[in-house]
Amino acid sequence: MILQLSFYLFSTVLVASAMMVVTVRNPVKAALFLVLAFFSAACIWMTLEAEFLSIVLILVYVGAVMVLFLFVVMMLDIDIARMREGFAKYLPVGIIVALGLIIELVVVLSGKAFQLASMPRPVGHDADYSNTKELGRLLYTDYVFPFEIAGLILLVAIIAAISLTLRRRNTKYQTPGNQVKVVKSDRLKIIKMKGQPGAES
Amino acid sequence: MNDTIQFMPVLPEIIIASMACFILVIDLYLKDSQKMISFGLTILTLIVGLVFIVSGYGQEPQLIFNGTVVVDQLSVVTKFGIVLASLLLLIYSQQYALDRKLFGGEYFVLVLLGTVGMMVLTSSSHMLTLYMGLELLSLCMYALIAMQRDSAKASEAAMKYFVLGALASGILLYGMSLFYGLTGSLQLGEISQSLASQDKQSMPLILATIFIVVGLAFKLGAVPFHMWVPDVYHGSPTSATIFIGAAPKIAAFAMVVRLLVSGFSELQIHWGDMLSLLAIASVAVGNILAIAQTNFKRMLAYSTISHMGFFLFGIVSGNEHGYGAALFYVMVYAFMSLGAFGLLMILSSKGVEVEEIEDLKGLNQTHPWLAFLMLLVMFSMAGVPPTIGFYAKLSVIQSLVSVGYYQMAIIAVLLAVIGAYYYLRIIKTVYFEDADQKRILTPQPVATFVLSTNILAVLWLMPFVGVLIDICQKAVMVLP
């Protein structure tokens, strides 16, 4: 009962906040609603006994990706009025695409594979079952080789990102000590010149 | 499957990967003038890797890491080629990279990790491992191209390669996921077993095969998925082009046979036809468009496309003889292209980029030895006897004839003859045209010596051709 209630609660919040993401005017608010949507999704996963995934979703998406996202959104100067300009122009195309998607969804979801009968309720695990541990066991035994290679791929990504963006610039700077030590003879050179013939002295 | 994890069979990969990390750290503490230390370490790593690979030759095939990795004759032979190619390209590119300020720790580490990626690719028996190896290799290649940051051409090439490569990976992954859905496994052996009991004409299976073949063709640069090849070869610094152009071709061969031959052998009726179309189109487009090129690197890019088509002919013939011929062809091609790009790098000097065919005018007058090496590479690529390139082409055509694909054999020979034109044109430019201005080079002695050995191999390996083809034939015997 509580499980069902919480499912309806979280999915209502999820759908509502997802709607807000696309309808709200302010991009910062949209990003914050996206955080809420992720959070509700994580809660639903938690009720499905996928606790590892739900925590990772919060840590990675909410904690890292969305913060970056917000950061970028705040730095950008987005002109909302200009973005809304083409609304009427693109509306027909948008409606057609949306209709097409809806029809596809209906066709696929009404197929046999998605009937309730072909989706039996999965068996729940005991309280001492930890899917974090199970995932870890799988990753570090059966799939240890691809897992290690994935680590190498991340290493390559780091090396590439740093070597492509880090520039050792020849920055010009002052050394106060040297400035103080300067004497007149270092900078000033007095040259004796012959006066031009005929010029008045 | 088994409880203990065996690490020994993948020791070469482990050594190279951990040395790459070590060099990455060591390099931080070196001044620019001391980069030779990390260079030497890199060379040493690859030599040690080679020794360990050779010591694994002739052992029984082993399926390790719960069926995700296979170490067999095929992987040993291809790994040997890959590591040797990486070693040679580092030696050739030393001076070139130094002159262009590309000679740093990240260059060595990316080459080493790319080599590990290729090794993973060649010994994968699981789609996950295969994809991981492919991505490791591709990411290193993108980064190596983009490393010349001041060059707009290089950035463009890297961007193009990155976008199209990501697209190809996506297509390949889509095909893999369809196969997973249809067979319930990612392990190639299990997929093969599961396919044996399925209807070969079912629509989803054909669709999945198409996705896989398109993804592979993109990665190989086979026509009609070749658009990126000329731009990438042309735009990249030659030190990156030589990395893209040689060893990954051997890895690509391994990827194709692991996926199609050992995984989807039941679907040969489908992919055989697709590959023969790709092969004919590649040989035709590659050879004909190469004639119109004035840029040497672009010409070599089109020649790569045609060579990829040629090696696909070997796979199309669909028997052990054909696969062996294809392996031999791709190995020979990799070392010929190493020679060609190596020569280009030796001919270039500080601030002078030898890229246009015009730049090669009168090379014989100034540097007769380098001109002779160029002649040998071009003869071998064109398939003129008595070079080894001739035998490579011959064995592929033999395998086509032996299974009765006469039309394809005739097309292959005709287009190879057309292709000979542009190789011979280079020789004409080198020998019979006068230079506009004489440029005296002081090639680095070590690199020149190694390059000469590499290129002269098209002659001095001739007595051993039988042995080499035999090794290649034995290597592909492990495929079902």
Side-chain angles (χ1 to χ4, degrees):
Chain A
M1 183 65 199
I2 296 175
L3 207 63
Q4 267 182 350
L5 269 182
S6 61
F7 171 76
Y8 284 117
L9 174 70
F10 291 131
S11 32
T12 320
V13 175
L14 174 62
V15 174
S17 53
M19 291 288 284
M20 292 303 276
V21 173
V22 286
T23 51
V24 83
R25 274 164 179 269
N26 187 330
V28 177
K29 279 185 191 162
L32 287 174
F33 273 113
L34 196 56
V35 171
L36 183 59
F38 281 145
F39 189 76
S40 327
C43 290
I44 293 178
W45 283 0
M46 192 69 100
T47 61
L48 292 174
E49 298 185 14
E51 67 270 9
F52 180 75
L53 279 181
S54 90
I55 291 170
V56 165
L57 182 71
I58 292 186
L59 285 183
V60 175
Y61 272 83
V62 179
V65 177
M66 282 317 294
V67 170
L68 257 175
F69 216 80
L70 264 180
F71 206 65
V72 175
V73 166
M74 284 182 183
M75 303 245 276
L76 289 177
D77 183 24
I78 300 172
D79 188 357
I80 298 165
R82 242 193 60 202
M83 279 180 59
R84 293 193 165 251
E85 253 172 26
F87 186 73
K89 205 170 89 189
Y90 298 124
L91 190 64
V93 185
I95 288 176
I96 292 170
V97 172
L99 270 181
L101 282 177
I102 289 172
I103 293 170
E104 275 180 15
L105 269 180
V106 168
V107 169
V108 169
L109 291 180
S110 58
K112 212 171 69 188
F114 284 94
Q115 299 301 314
L116 266 184
S118 52
M119 292 226 176
R121 194 190 156 83
V123 189
H125 290 287
D126 298 335
D128 60 344
Y129 177 86
S130 150
N131 71 31
T132 313
K133 200 172 153 189
E134 285 303 303
L135 266 176
R137 195 194 60 75
L138 208 61
L139 281 183
Y140 286 101
T141 55
D142 290 359
Y143 293 104
V144 66
F145 192 77
F147 188 67
E148 296 292 332
I149 303 299
L152 283 185
I153 292 179
L154 289 180
L155 178 67
V156 168
I158 296 171
I159 298 171
I162 294 177
S163 72
L164 291 183
T165 51
L166 181 75
R167 275 179 193 271
R168 288 198 199 102
R169 288 193 187 83
N170 294 327
T171 33
K172 290 177 179 156
Y173 55 90
Q174 299 282 4
T175 333
N178 291 345
Q179 281 180 307
V180 172
K181 275 193 280 182
V182 163
V183 287
K184 195 170 93 180
S185 57
D186 287 349
R187 299 283 166 87
L188 191 67
K189 206 168 168 187
I190 296 172
I191 301 169
K192 287 250 165 67
M193 290 177 81
K194 262 189 211 161
Q196 272 185 0
E200 289 171 31
S201 57
Chain B
M1 282 180 198
N2 41 4
D3 290 317
T4 51
I5 294 177
Q6 284 176 294
F7 288 104
M8 286 311 280
V10 288
L11 196 61
E13 281 96 326
I14 295 177
I15 289 174
I16 297 180
S18 28
M19 276 306 284
C21 300
F22 180 67
I23 291 167
L24 189 64
V25 177
I26 284 282
D27 190 73
L28 284 179
Y29 298 97
L30 295 177
K31 292 193 196 76
D32 275 353
S33 54
Q34 296 169 319
K35 292 290 178 194
M36 282 311 281
I37 297 176
S38 42
F39 179 71
L41 275 174
T42 313
I43 297 286
L44 187 73
T45 308
L46 288 172
I47 292 174
V48 172
L50 266 185
V51 171
F52 277 98
I53 290 169
V54 172
S55 70
Y57 184 75
Q59 286 177 5
E60 284 293 299
Q62 283 173 291
L63 202 59
I64 46 175
F65 291 110
N66 197 31
T68 52
V69 178
V70 64
V71 178
D72 52 18
Q73 213 77 320
L74 176 62
S75 76
V76 170
V77 171
T78 44
K79 273 178 202 170
F80 180 79
I82 287 166
V83 176
L84 187 61
S86 301
L87 182 68
L88 292 179
L89 84 87
L90 278 174
I91 295 174
Y92 300 160
S93 64
Q94 186 200 348
Q95 193 59 42
Y96 182 91
L98 255 177
D99 290 343
R100 280 154 193 77
K101 296 197 172 58
L102 299 169
F103 196 73
E106 61 271 20
Y107 176 58
F108 312 135
V109 171
L110 286 175
V111 169
L112 282 181
L113 289 177
T115 310
V116 173
M118 290 185 257
M119 292 163 82
V120 170
L121 200 54
T122 58
S123 61
S124 55
S125 60
H126 194 275
M127 295 224 229
L128 198 57
T129 329
L130 189 122
Y131 182 70
M132 287 294 171
L134 181 64
E135 279 308 282
L136 184 55
L137 166 66
S138 310
L139 280 175
C140 290
M141 294 204 283
Y142 308 144
L144 278 172
I145 299 171
M147 250 194 341
Q148 201 179 29
R149 288 178 303 187
D150 308 324
S151 151
K153 267 196 313 182
S155 311
E156 188 199 325
M159 205 59 206
K160 232 175 223 168
Y161 196 19
F162 180 67
V163 171
L164 285 178
L167 183 69
S169 295
I171 292 172
L172 195 66
L173 269 185
Y174 202 171
M176 288 178 180
S177 71
L178 283 176
F179 268 109
Y180 181 60
L182 291 167
T183 60
S185 175
L186 284 171
Q187 215 273 329
L188 291 171
E190 287 169 19
I191 289 178
S192 173
Q193 278 169 15
S194 162
L195 285 177
S197 59
Q198 290 195 20
D199 173 22
K200 310 294 180 298
Q201 297 300 334
S202 82
M203 204 53 205
L205 264 188
I206 299 176
L207 194 67
T209 317
I210 292 175
F211 271 110
I212 295 275
V213 170
V214 169
L216 290 178
F218 247 119
K219 294 284 175 196
L220 283 175
V223 177
F225 308 103
H226 66 289
M227 294 78 73
W228 58 271
V229 182
D231 289 341
V232 170
Y233 272 51
H234 180 193
S236 326
T238 314
S239 56
T241 316
I242 192 172
F243 181 69
I244 305 165
K249 304 299 175 200
I250 306 177
F253 165 83
M255 176 165 73
V256 169
V257 293
R258 290 271 185 226
L259 266 180
L260 297 184
V261 180
S262 76
F264 315 144
S265 50
E266 299 288 333
L267 301 171
Q268 202 184 1
I269 34 166
H270 300 311
W271 58 252
D273 291 349
M274 296 177 203
L275 285 192
S276 48
L277 277 179
L278 289 175
I280 294 172
S282 305
V283 176
V285 171
N287 275 328
I288 290 169
L289 287 186
I291 294 174
Q293 304 307 318
T294 55
N295 182 296
F296 192 43
K297 274 160 89 180
R298 258 189 124 71
M299 191 206 92
L300 283 177
Y302 281 104
S303 113
T304 305
I305 296 173
S306 76
H307 284 289
M308 287 299 104
F310 235 98
F311 114 76
L312 284 178
F313 276 133
I315 308 234
V316 166
S317 48
N319 54 17
E320 249 121 49
H321 184 217
Y323 305 145
L327 175 57
F328 181 64
Y329 191 91
V330 88
M331 290 284 232
V332 168
Y333 170 70
F335 287 96
M336 288 189 306
S337 78
L338 269 179
F341 287 113
L343 260 179
L344 263 191
M345 282 199 283
I346 289 207
L347 289 173
S348 303
S349 55
K350 200 163 191 167
V352 183
E353 199 82 40
V354 172
E355 280 195 341
E356 299 293 322
I357 296 176
E358 296 268 293
D359 298 341
L360 297 172
K361 269 185 185 173
L363 184 64
N364 185 40
Q365 294 155 359
T366 47
H367 301 90
W369 178 244
L370 294 178
F372 176 66
L373 292 180
M374 184 63 91
L375 172 109
L376 276 184
V377 174
M378 289 299 128
F379 268 169
S380 186
M381 281 200 173
V384 177
T387 56
I388 205 163
F390 168 71
Y391 273 88
K393 280 202 164 59
L394 182 70
S395 57
V396 167
I397 290 167
Q398 262 178 350
S399 73
L400 275 180
V401 170
S402 71
V403 287
Y405 290 149
Y406 298 112
Q407 301 94 325
M408 248 190 269
I410 292 168
I411 294 174
V413 172
L414 276 180
L415 288 164
V417 172
I418 294 175
Y421 166 76
Y422 59 86
Y423 296 119
L424 293 177
R425 192 178 56 168
I426 301 286
I427 297 174
K428 175 193 153 241
T429 318
V430 168
Y431 275 90
F432 302 113
E433 282 177 32
D434 291 330
D436 301 331
Q437 66 206 44
K438 289 212 169 115
R439 215 158 52 84
I440 301 300
L441 299 163
T442 44
Q444 209 208 8
V446 180
T448 316
F449 174 73
V450 179
L451 184 69
S452 307
T453 322
N454 177 186
I455 293 177
L456 287 176
V458 303
L459 289 179
W460 63 255
L461 275 180
M462 283 316 290
F464 312 107
V465 156
V467 183
L468 294 175
I469 292 185
D470 204 40
I471 290 175
C472 292
Q473 293 291 357
K474 276 205 189 109
V476 295
M477 288 297 261
V478 297
L479 299 167

